[in-house]
Amino acid sequence: MTDFLVIGECVADIVRVPGRADVAHPGGSPANVAYGLARLGRPVTLLTQLGRDPMGALIGAHLRSAGVRVLTDGRPEVRTPTAVVSLDGEGRASYAFDFDWTLRAVEPPAAPRHVHLGSVAAVREPGAATVVALAERLGADASVSYDPNIRPALSGDRAGALARVERCVALSDLVKASDEDLAWLYPGEPVERVAARWLAAGPAVVVVTRGGDGAVGFTRSAEVARPAVRTTVVDTVGAGDSFMSATLDALAARSLLGAPARAALAALDGPALAEVLAQAALAAAVTVSRAGANPPDAAELRERQG
């Protein structure tokens, strides 16, 4: 059994800042989560698609440098997705994508303790059907997490996207979303109401990140707010993914992942949830303090925790 299986896309983030040359960074929300977990010392496999092109080589080398095992469906014709990431004067990112997702079913080399689904790969057909079917099957013996990480340009119509997102929510034990995700999915609806709806659908824990305003975590018995860690922001690329990987690492350290731990995860109390959010917030702060999706490793995170 391996600790983590992450299923989802790799994307080459071509960062564009006015007055500077473009710089390509390995990215894609699920790939960033896998990379972050490996940096924190967790054995992790990423099931994805990578083209046999320079961007695919860049991303593959990046992932393997941290210890991520990269598993693909073997399609020779795929092109590595790209996203032109334009940063404004405050480091906030907007995206323009060149993206296809056609993942075929692949049997993981080992049964995972935990499965993480992310972003475009869980909602964009035809590959999304493969992702969801695999998560449903593996979820009998593994816990599941999900981050919708909405990209409106790739999500299709809102009603269809919402149905696909809610299907992923229902098969998950933990869901992390940003307030921007929720604003697009449920315009005008309070975060607390969405969290309650999602908890009723199945997850034990729902976490909502709020950028510079921190994050709030919900269980069926607790609600915990955590402020953001103050830092100098270089850019926000990968911040939410770093938050996600650090959340999973913190839960794994407390033996709260895996199908046998579902009851314990459901019983997570407010103080323990606050500790998990504190670690995740710190990891995100480290990530935004430097360029690209560059999360901390385990030693750096321990040092910053003091």
Side-chain angles (χ1 to χ4, degrees):
M1 175 175 282
T2 188
D3 274 9
F4 290 94
L5 174 67
V6 178
I7 309 173
E9 72 270 13
C10 295
V11 180
D13 289 330
I14 302 170
V15 178
R16 182 164 296 165
V17 179
R20 302 182 192 174
D22 291 352
V23 179
H25 294 282
S29 177
N32 290 342
V33 172
Y35 183 80
L37 284 166
R39 292 268 292 167
L40 293 171
R42 299 293 174 180
V44 56
T45 297
L46 173 67
L47 173 55
T48 191
Q49 289 187 302
L50 276 178
R52 297 176 183 177
D53 50 34
M55 290 302 180
L58 172 73
I59 294 171
H62 168 75
L63 291 166
R64 294 183 182 99
S65 73
V68 178
R69 180 174 183 173
V70 180
L71 178 65
T72 73
D73 65 358
R75 285 183 181 266
E77 74 278 11
V78 301
R79 184 176 68 253
T80 302
T82 60
V84 175
V85 185
S86 299
L87 300 175
D88 66 15
E90 297 181 2
R92 291 175 299 208
S94 59
Y95 297 82
F97 293 93
D98 179 4
F99 191 103
D100 288 311
W101 181 246
T102 58
L103 187 73
R104 296 183 296 194
V106 176
E107 187 64 26
R113 189 180 312 278
H114 183 84
V115 177
H116 176 72
L117 314 178
S119 198
V120 182
V123 298
R124 188 173 178 87
E125 299 297 356
T130 301
V131 175
V132 172
L134 187 56
E136 288 177 333
R137 180 169 63 81
L138 294 175
D141 299 303
S143 50
V144 179
S145 58
Y146 172 55
D147 178 0
N149 193 40
I150 296 294
R151 298 292 181 239
L154 297 174
S155 297
D157 68 281
R158 182 179 283 105
L162 179 58
R164 292 187 289 271
V165 166
E166 289 185 338
R167 181 180 182 187
C168 293
V169 168
L171 61 85
S172 299
D173 300 283
L174 164 69
V175 180
K176 192 279 289 181
S178 71
D179 53 358
E180 293 180 345
D181 294 334
L182 299 190
W184 190 84
L185 289 166
Y186 304 95
E189 191 160 346
V191 165
E192 295 79 7
R193 186 180 302 169
V194 176
R197 177 184 302 175
W198 283 4
L199 288 169
V205 181
V206 171
V207 176
V208 180
T209 57
R210 304 181 293 187
D213 293 326
V216 57
F218 301 87
T219 69
R220 293 180 183 88
S221 61
E223 177 180 333
V224 176
R226 172 72 198 185
V229 176
R230 291 188 176 277
T231 190
T232 300
V233 176
V234 173
D235 68 51
T236 61
V237 177
D241 304 322
S242 180
F243 188 103
M244 183 80 248
S245 57
T247 297
L248 293 173
D249 175 70
L251 292 172
R254 291 163 175 77
S255 300
L256 293 175
L257 297 181
R262 281 198 168 104
L265 181 63
L268 184 69
D269 61 21
L273 179 56
E275 292 176 0
V276 170
L277 295 180
Q279 175 172 312
L282 180 58
V286 173
T287 303
V288 303
S289 71
R290 49 206 189 195
N294 185 9
D297 62 18
E300 184 177 11
L301 199 56
R302 284 196 300 270
E303 180 182 352
R304 300 261 185 151
Q305 288 171 322

